[in-house]
Amino acid sequence: MNMHNPAHPGEVLREWLPEGMRIEQAAEQLHISRTTLSKVLNAKSGLTAVMALRLAAWLGTSPDLWLGMQLQWDLRQARKLRLPKIKPIKRESSSVV
């Protein structure tokens, strides 16, 4: 799946939070600091595998869902960068015995 402009997982998470739930409450339920959750929700920090596991357990989703969103967002950000020209390596053909 290659999205043109994928959302940061924190943006999606904001939509999943129960209406009226404060960040402090959500952070407490996830056993993380309010600051950590705030950074994710505001797209200032990415999701780790551990955070994906926590969110999956809390929201009844899979960690792959959250890590996939993070990967798509990271790739989109990376594609905006100017990378140097990188030459592919030349591999020798090896025969399999």
Side-chain angles (χ1 to χ4, degrees):
M1 182 168 130
N2 189 7
M3 297 176 63
H4 176 65
N5 192 17
H8 186 278
E11 295 175 55
V12 176
L13 179 56
R14 273 195 305 243
E15 298 296 321
W16 283 55
L17 291 177
E19 191 173 330
M21 179 174 274
R22 296 187 342 264
I23 292 176
E24 294 84 3
Q25 294 169 308
E28 184 178 305
Q29 291 180 20
L30 288 164
H31 299 276
I32 60 175
S33 73
R34 182 203 177 287
T35 303
T36 297
L37 183 55
S38 180
K39 286 180 182 179
V40 170
L41 291 172
N42 292 305
K44 301 294 183 194
S45 179
L47 291 182
T48 63
V50 171
M51 180 66 83
L53 287 168
R54 289 174 190 253
L55 291 174
W58 191 51
L59 297 168
T61 62
S62 76
D64 296 342
L65 171 78
W66 298 102
L67 289 176
M69 279 189 263
Q70 185 65 53
L71 176 62
Q72 289 299 317
W73 191 83
D74 287 344
L75 284 172
R76 175 67 175 150
Q77 300 313 304
R79 286 185 175 119
K80 293 178 183 178
L81 302 175
R82 287 184 182 239
L83 298 176
K85 184 170 172 109
I86 299 172
K87 294 180 185 178
I89 61 171
K90 293 184 181 182
R91 295 182 178 247
E92 300 272 335
S93 296
S94 60
S95 57
V96 178
V97 180

